[in-house]
Amino acid sequence: MRRTILCLTLAVPFALVACQSEKKADKPATAAAAKPAEAPKPAEAPKPAEAAPAAAGVSAEAMAEAKTIFETRCSTCHGLTGAGDGPAAAALNPKPRSYSDPEWQAKVTDDHIAQVIVKGGDSVGLSPLMTANPDLESKPEVVKGLVSIIRSYKK
Ligand code: HEC
């Protein structure tokens, strides 16, 4: 009888210690997630809101909406200056091209750009990371406005 009690008194602290060390081991390693490198901001590059002129056949209202969409939605990947350096771009592969590339600007039609915007990259054989914007399907004027913003970056 005495032995059992002795055993228990010895066993309990051990059990506690065992439990505690188990808890410690359970702790998830704190994710030292690598922060995407902050893109350096070109000082005098104009924002699309100032850069993009009103496009033919696009009302001021639609143009304003296009600018807002570019600044809030597209710039996360494409960057406010269209250089392909938005905060989310670091994680993308392939990365968005710079809209200023004159060769690319000369190569693509407005229709191609509009299709990429509305239907997404994979609709023209590009990366599906360029996501579709189905809400713009019913807003062709806003899409035109976005195309003109992209055209305005041409060097
Ligand atoms: C989640 C990130 C992301 C967002 C948001 C995004 N794009 Fe893209 N976009 C990409 C990537 C990545 C590519 C490059 C695809 C490739 O080269 O395969 C791309 C490519 C493009 C291209 C170039 C197509 C070509 O011929 O090379 C255009 C134009 C474009 N995006 C417009 C837009 C517009 C306008 C918006 C906002 C409505 C937008 N994108 C939002 C990631 C994004």
Side-chain angles (χ1 to χ4, degrees), residues 12-38:
V12 166
F14 273 121
L16 281 177
V17 168
C19 258
Q20 267 173 356
S21 53
E22 223 169 79
K23 254 190 214 155
K24 264 183 209 153
D26 267 1
K27 257 195 189 169
T30 34
K35 261 197 194 169
E38 282 217 17

Side-chain angles (χ1 to χ4, degrees), residues 66 69-78 88-89 92-97 99 104 107-109 112-114 116-118 121-122 124-133 135-136 143 146-147 149-150:
I69 289 174
F70 192 86
E71 286 172 9
T72 55
R73 206 184 290 181
C74 319
S75 70
T76 49
C77 295
H78 288 278
L92 295 175
N93 184 19
K95 300 204 189 309
R97 67 177 64 254
Y99 293 147
W104 173 76
K107 199 175 69 184
V108 292
T109 62
H112 164 92
I113 297 177
V116 170
I117 295 171
V118 177
D122 57 356
V124 295
L126 291 174
S127 167
L129 295 174
M130 169 55 216
T131 43
N133 294 274
D135 60 312
L136 298 180
V143 174
L146 283 165
V147 171
I149 289 172
I150 289 161

Side-chain angles (χ1 to χ4, degrees), residues 39-59:
K41 283 187 193 136
E44 78 263 30
K47 278 189 169 193
E50 294 125 40
V58 181
S59 69

